[in-house]
Amino acid sequence: MKKRFFVAICFALSSVLNFAADKNVRPEPLAGGNIAIRIDANEQSKYLLLPIEEKADEARMQIIVNNDLRRNLYVRLARGHVDYYMPVLLDEFRGNEITVITHVGDYAKTACMSEFKLSDSFDKSNKEAFRPAFHHTPVYGWMNDPNGMFYLDGKWHLFFQYNPYGSMWGNMNWAHATSIDLINWNDEGIAIAPDALGSIFSGSCVVDKEGTAGFGEGAVVALYTSAGDVQCQSLAYSVDGGQTFTKYAGNPILTSDIPDFRDPNMFWNEDIKAWNLILACGQEMRIYSSPDLKNWKEESSFGSELGCHGGVWECPDLMKISTLDGKTSKWVLFCNINPGGPAGGSATQYFIGNFDGHTFTVDSESRYANGNSLWQDYGKDHYATVSFSNAPDGRHTMIAWMSNWQYANDVPTMQYRSANSIAREPFLYYGADKQLYMGSRPSPEYDNKGLDKNVKIKGSCKIRLSNDEGQEMVFTYDQKAMTLTCDRSKSGIKDFSADFDVNAVAPVRNKLTSLRIFIDNSSIELFGNNGEVVMTSLVFPNSPLKNVKIEKL
Ligand code: FRU
């Protein structure tokens, strides 16, 4: 039997009645200035396609099923013209009375009423020339921070901040992708969706091998920020290796009056035989411990007087890292900050020190005094970096979001926005000044894949990466000043933001002798001395900047 159901979409002004082109989508005026669009969806109607106009203001849409609120979405519904469509999957609502109420103030003049469509398919084929060839991107929609990454049974699991209803930030879900080689990624859909506590902000996962949380041995446990009227921390768990998650009924498990209280990062600490958690709280990081991932004891806080404070502290990580010869190990605390990065906007600062499971202290306060700090990557497009839990062979493997909040919503793609960096492995090294620094090397998965260009350099030089159309990205290595400067003023499209064409400058700690460069369709990741100096940058050229030329200075 053919089941039918209704979707009613209600707008805030009632005078629009530009009737829909799809005969199964029928606008009707409602009282109170709202407009309902009733939709007859048969079994072939897998999706309701929402017409999106990127520059339109967000409209609130409530999907109500049998009088229960099932979705609260903020969507840039088209008013003047449609830029693209975003799908709402109808499967879970089928067979019910559905009402979608849309609260928009000025829909009287909108043309979009006729543009809602039912469809049995949604075209996911790539439409973007700038889509990377070997970096992870969402198939469609908006992405920011990597979240809850872990490794299990040969698979890398990447979750990420995701908006399924538009290619700009909003409606935060955790989406999921998996890979066996850190190069090719499978889209695994939405993993954790917004609920009554709010949308799902960043967080972490651990593999709870002993079942300390009571969700079973080997359960994957996620802790994320519920972002509603306030920010608080909530748990979810998976008993099928991270494919599906169940939210813990006792959420939230950590609350505070601090408005910026987010991005929990948990890890097992063998030194204290307990879990630790590091959480961004305003202008400091708080450290907690727990026997069971549910009850967290606040141990200490770090950083209010140290490092950079030009923006909000976000997305922490904390881990023990060694020099390549294994002789020196230190704890390193990662603190993403936005704005306030060295080249403007977002960036990742790090603190080298000691951690006993309770308190983190830096080795040298003077390195972090008076607003000074150390940065993991001196390019403009490296943010929210965090590590995979349970990585093989005790590895620390990290991925960063390859963008900058200054212009992430404006970069010239539309089907999707943002890519992740290639994975990197942090290590410690000594600079010529005998001080300890942290570098990041490309993960070994990228070795011998032909994805990188390797060049030797000797003394000051310019490194030009160009295409045949004359577009270029120029790095200048000044051996006297010990700096590497990245200039993308001629790299292609840049007029979407005045903050894009700003030179980034990296301090060089040891003379540069080699460069390893990963050039993709819209990014350049440069690793000097195999990761001692790292610069990650977006570019939007007509064709990839694949020609590499070194000019001695
Ligand atoms: C960092 C961040 C996090 C937050 C998330 C929201 O980019 O602001 O602090 O959890 O993005 O999407």
Side-chain angles (χ1 to χ4, degrees), residues 170-243:
N171 307 303
M172 284 295 108
N173 288 250
W174 275 26
H176 184 201
T178 55
S179 175
I180 51 170
D181 58 8
L182 291 173
I183 298 169
N184 299 291
W185 293 92
N186 288 324
D187 175 30
E188 305 277 358
I190 303 284
I192 307 180
D195 56 30
L197 290 175
S199 51
I200 313 298
F201 274 18
S202 291
S204 58
C205 281
V206 291
V207 180
D208 184 11
K209 292 182 183 153
E210 314 288 329
T212 61
F215 303 132
E217 285 177 18
V220 176
V221 181
L223 185 61
Y224 56 87
T225 301
S226 291
D229 293 342
V230 294
Q231 298 187 347
C232 52
Q233 318 313 320
S234 296
L235 279 176
Y237 60 94
S238 168
V239 293
D240 58 6
Q243 286 311 117

Side-chain angles (χ1 to χ4, degrees), residues 350-365:
Y350 68 88
F351 299 88
I352 300 179
N354 300 298
F355 179 56
D356 60 2
H358 309 282
T359 309
F360 178 83
T361 46
V362 287
D363 272 355
S364 153
E365 292 211 350

Side-chain angles (χ1 to χ4, degrees), residues 144-145 161 169 172 201-202 262-263 314-315 383-384 401 405:
N144 56 294
D145 315 358
Q161 288 286 279
W169 187 86
M172 284 295 108
F201 274 18
S202 291
R262 58 176 181 265
D263 308 342
E314 302 182 318
C315 302
Y383 194 56
W401 174 53
W405 280 115

